[in-house]
Amino acid sequence: LLADATSNTKLRKSQTQEYRIVSLSLSPADEAGTGKTNCPAATAGCISCCVGSPRTGMAQVFNTIMQSRIAKTRFLQEDREGFIRHLLSEIHTEEKKANADGRKLVVRLNTFSDIPWEVAAFGCIPQCFNDVIFYDYTKLHGRVKKAPENYSLVGSWSEVESHQKACIDLLLSGH
């Protein structure tokens, strides 16, 4: 499920000797074609230009990239408990690798999605790993103020005025 930073150009730029970065790349919005979205607050603008879509980036060139994202999305949607168990196991493994290298593990679970991993329905994943740093962007702006200590959430701006207002409010309140 997880990939290290070398598999994602954007994350590769953040990789340092201090941090081991891994990410989960699900299909964005309803690109899996299941009728269920991974991005409940997605706007028309963000869907049309999403870097995780099959219309952009390496997924446009290599079909297997999008097929992998869709397979992981379907796994999550069809067997959430099994998916969460597997994800927890992989994060434990990645944490051991990071510790062995003398680095801190950093995890991005929403590379192209917007799932509230900090809530019980999605396993309270960040709360299971006090020594791991989690980070994501979200258009579900209410999540930002409620995020666990080790989960850095940034409000995502869009063309929608209510998203812009929510981002400004988050900035003005110290987020």
Side-chain angles (χ1 to χ4, degrees):
L1 299 175
L2 296 173
D4 69 26
T6 61
S7 68
N8 181 298
T9 303
K10 193 162 121 179
L11 296 179
R12 190 177 319 122
K13 294 174 187 175
S14 301
Q15 186 77 30
T16 68
Q17 296 292 357
E18 187 179 353
Y19 300 107
R20 174 176 177 77
I21 301 172
V22 296
S23 64
L24 174 63
S25 295
L26 300 172
S27 59
D30 183 25
E31 291 289 350
T34 63
K36 300 175 187 173
T37 183
N38 282 332
C39 307
T43 66
C46 72
I47 291 171
S48 71
C49 68
C50 180
V51 297
S53 83
R55 297 171 297 283
T56 61
M58 296 308 286
Q60 184 179 28
V61 179
F62 300 105
N63 188 35
T64 55
I65 292 173
M66 200 64 209
Q67 289 173 354
S68 172
R69 292 175 189 165
I70 289 170
K72 288 184 265 188
T73 294
R74 289 190 172 157
F75 180 19
L76 171 63
Q77 292 177 352
E78 294 168 6
D79 181 9
R80 187 181 296 184
E81 281 186 31
F83 184 96
I84 290 170
R85 274 193 312 275
H86 194 85
L87 181 58
L88 288 167
S89 175
E90 286 194 24
I91 294 170
H92 276 292
T93 299
E94 292 296 337
E95 186 177 25
K96 287 177 187 174
K97 289 179 186 176
N99 290 340
D101 291 343
R103 295 190 284 174
K104 183 96 170 161
L105 181 62
V106 178
V107 180
R108 183 169 184 192
L109 294 175
N110 286 315
T111 308
F112 307 117
S113 55
D114 196 355
I115 294 171
W117 296 103
E118 71 280 8
V119 301
F122 289 99
C124 296
I125 302 287
Q127 295 92 314
C128 295
F129 299 92
N130 293 329
D131 295 328
V132 174
I133 299 169
F134 291 82
Y135 76 103
D136 284 316
Y137 295 96
T138 183
K139 282 188 177 62
L140 302 170
H141 298 98
R143 294 176 57 206
V144 175
K145 292 181 181 180
K146 298 175 187 174
E149 182 92 9
N150 63 331
Y151 197 2
S152 178
L153 283 170
V154 175
S156 182
W157 189 272
S158 80
E159 77 280 11
V160 175
E161 189 175 333
S162 62
H163 288 172
Q164 295 169 13
K165 182 181 179 328
C167 286
I168 291 168
D169 290 346
L170 286 170
L171 284 170
L172 293 176
S173 67
H175 293 277

